Amino acid sequence: MRNIKIIDDITKDGQVTFGDGYAFVDDTAEADAILMRSTDLHGYDLPASIRAIARCGAGVNNIPIDDYAKRGVVVFNSPGANANAVKEIVLCMMVLSSRGVVQSMDWVRQNADDPDILTHAEHVKKAFVGRELKGKRVGVIGLGNVGSKVANACVYLGMDVYGYDPFISVEHAWELSRDVQRVGTLEDLCRGCDYLTLHVPSKADTVGMIGTDQLALLAPGAVLINFARETIVDEDAVDAALHEGRLSWFATDFATPKTVLMPNTFITTHSGAGTEEAEANCADMAISELKDYLENGNIAHSVNYPSCSMGKARAASRIACLHANVPNMIGQITAILAKDNANVQRMVNESAGENAYTMFDTDEHLESSTIDALKRISSMYRVRVIK
Ligand SMILES: NC(=O)C1=CN([C@@H]2O[C@H](COP(=O)(O)OP(=O)(O)OC[C@H]3O[C@@H](n4cnc5c(N)ncnc54)[C@H](O)[C@@H]3O)[C@@H](O)[C@H]2O)C=CC1
Ligand SMILES: O=C(O)CCC(=O)C(=O)O
């Protein structure tokens, strides 16, 4: 039996199914793996029993992934599984910030007891006149799973779409409409935009990337949309731009002590991924990643270890080694196996950044002394006997 600790509400109805051979536990120290969403794990006391963590969602700035890698804990996310949900709410924010929808609905509610409300509505409606998205310039920062969908949708709405992503993947470049004009600098992207929407992860080079200088380049009365992370905008700069009317609206998914005090804001409760479909997609992807890792040692969509697959574990034994990406690890591993006279059927070694993963199948079970010797290799983080 494998034990799973669930942190956060993964789905609205609480339904999470791993199938036979799995149990849910309350005590993390009894768990083999964690299934989670947005809880901040920095400073969390992670027990040694945890071998893997799957984050239902895209952003992993809430998880100390480098530290966990060095403890032999593989962290997964679910790329793209909630991207459509975010795209839809971003489009919603574009419309809300352009058409006086919320203000006009508020007026109706406030005048609900007026018997002649139909006539009076005709008189006040000029106060809620807005502008159309068609023909307006939108800048999209980050053209990954969410940003590429937002950019393409804006093309279909007839907008003049510009995108900035120095690290765009080949897959997303292929998906992007040819009508999205890619620019090489953040400044060129911001210049003259009526709408600016952010779709980058929170990391060293994106924290505070939208500040006074970038906001100054936008068209007068532009709209800023942040459904990425609160850290990406300089909140003081945004507040000043709103007060001075340089920004007409700021739509954000992050209610912080500063954003809640700003004028002209649409603020949601980190609900960009809040659809039944996105929750189910994320849970399905995260659960299958965890199961394949726990049962077979295969890694897909990890954010701190390389992808690696040897299919189902069918040989007598399968061993996985999580270690630093340094010279002579394979040499040391095979030397230890040779001492045990172990016949390796198949071996795969993959690396990503500072970390590497070596997995092999053998004809017979290894001696426990052999496993101990593998664990003693310097820079070896964890050795798993999967089978
Ligand atoms: N509000 C919500 O509920 C949600 C928020 N998010 C946030 O949005 C972010 C993006 O999500 P996805 O598109 O799914 O991630 P993704 O990983 O598919 O795309 C991120 C893109 O940003 C690009 N990028 C990285 N650094 C950059 C930089 N310095 N300048 C420009 N582009 C850069 C990458 O090359 C990549 O194409 C997540 O990391 C997360 O923080 C994602 C999903 C839901
Ligand atoms: O609703 C959630 O779990 C957060 C989604 C999110 O922010 C992400 O996927 O990065």
Side-chain angles (χ1 to χ4, degrees):
M1 189 65 73
R2 294 180 174 92
N3 291 337
I4 306 293
K5 166 72 180 176
I6 295 190
I7 299 178
D8 303 312
D9 295 322
I10 304 297
T11 58
K12 189 178 167 191
D13 63 8
Q15 289 298 309
V16 175
T17 311
F18 272 75
D20 293 344
Y22 287 84
F24 296 120
V25 291
D26 288 331
D27 184 357
T28 317
E30 290 173 7
D32 301 293
I34 291 174
L35 185 71
M36 63 172 296
R37 271 174 87 164
S38 296
T39 288
D40 191 351
L41 292 190
H42 292 95
Y44 183 79
D45 190 13
L46 193 76
S49 64
I50 298 297
R51 287 174 259 158
I53 296 174
R55 195 271 196 246
C56 298
V60 288
N61 57 312
N62 54 326
I63 306 171
I65 58 173
D66 295 333
D67 175 36
Y68 285 1
K70 287 176 179 42
R71 296 167 67 178
V73 177
V74 178
V75 180
F76 300 88
N77 71 347
S78 47
N82 58 21
N84 190 66
V86 184
K87 175 198 79 180
E88 290 186 3
I89 204 166
V90 165
L91 296 177
C92 170
M93 292 299 146
M94 285 185 173
V95 174
L96 290 186
S97 57
S98 307
R99 292 296 299 275
V101 176
V102 173
Q103 301 86 324
S104 122
M105 292 192 307
D106 282 349
W107 181 90
V108 170
R109 268 196 218 98
Q110 284 156 14
N111 293 275
D113 54 2
D114 177 356
D116 205 11
I117 188 169
L118 192 60
T119 309
H120 292 144
E122 292 298 334
H123 296 149
V124 297
K125 70 181 182 188
K126 60 177 179 294
F128 309 122
V129 168
R131 62 180 183 183
E132 298 187 14
L133 299 176
K134 190 177 174 188
K136 301 299 183 303
R137 177 169 173 148
V138 57
V140 183
I141 303 182
L143 297 167
N145 286 294
V146 178
S148 62
K149 283 186 171 54
V150 169
N152 288 348
C154 290
V155 168
Y156 299 134
L157 289 169
M159 301 181 81
D160 196 12
V161 186
Y162 289 78
Y164 169 71
D165 187 338
F167 317 108
I168 187 170
S169 68
V170 174
E171 178 199 352
H172 289 121
W174 273 106
E175 281 172 12
L176 208 58
S177 160
R178 64 173 63 184
D179 291 323
V180 176
Q181 301 172 60
R182 285 179 57 200
V183 295
T185 68
L186 182 58
E187 285 64 37
D188 284 344
L189 189 276
C190 293
R191 197 165 285 117
C193 277
D194 301 296
Y195 298 83
L196 183 67
T197 182
L198 317 178
H199 301 293
V200 289
S202 178
K203 54 192 177 74
D205 65 333
T206 60
V207 168
M209 85 190 289
I210 300 302
T212 307
D213 293 348
Q214 291 70 32
L215 295 173
L217 294 169
L218 303 179
V223 172
L224 176 65
I225 299 172
N226 180 17
F227 271 62
R229 282 293 180 271
E230 69 280 12
T231 48
I232 292 160
V233 300
D234 172 343
E235 294 187 332
D236 293 331
V238 172
D239 190 36
L242 286 166
H243 275 99
E244 291 161 18
R246 287 183 283 115
L247 280 178
S248 59
W249 287 96
F250 175 43
T252 177
D253 208 9
F254 308 102
T256 71
K258 284 189 179 173
T259 59
V260 295
L261 299 177
M262 293 180 191
N264 285 23
T265 49
F266 294 111
I267 309 179
T268 43
T269 49
H270 195 179
S271 298
T275 66
E276 292 170 10
E277 293 88 344
E279 287 185 340
N281 289 342
C282 287
D284 287 352
M285 194 185 282
I287 289 167
S288 66
E289 289 162 357
L290 277 186
K291 289 181 72 170
D292 202 17
Y293 182 66
L294 292 174
E295 293 168 25
N296 303 305
N298 297 325
I299 301 179
H301 303 142
S302 169
V303 291
N304 62 355
Y305 271 94
S307 296
C308 181
S309 179
M310 293 205 336
K312 275 205 170 308
R314 295 190 202 282
S317 176
R318 175 170 287 182
I319 309 293
C321 301
L322 298 93
H323 54 84
N325 183 18
V326 291
N328 200 29
M329 289 304 286
I330 299 176
Q332 294 182 79
I333 292 169
T334 50
I336 289 168
L337 296 178
K339 270 195 199 157
D340 192 9
N341 213 19
N343 188 33
V344 175
Q345 280 188 4
R346 199 173 161 210
M347 177 181 262
V348 175
N349 169 267
E350 301 285 355
S351 64
E354 293 182 351
N355 306 310
Y357 192 67
T358 304
M359 186 154 69
F360 52 88
D361 287 349
T362 56
D363 284 347
E364 288 174 13
H365 285 274
L366 301 182
E367 298 289 336
S368 60
S369 57
T370 305
I371 301 295
D372 289 342
L374 290 172
K375 288 180 181 170
R376 282 195 300 271
I377 296 175
S378 165
S379 300
M380 181 67 77
Y381 299 139
R382 186 185 289 255
V383 176
R384 285 184 63 207
V385 179
I386 294 162
K387 190 179 169 198

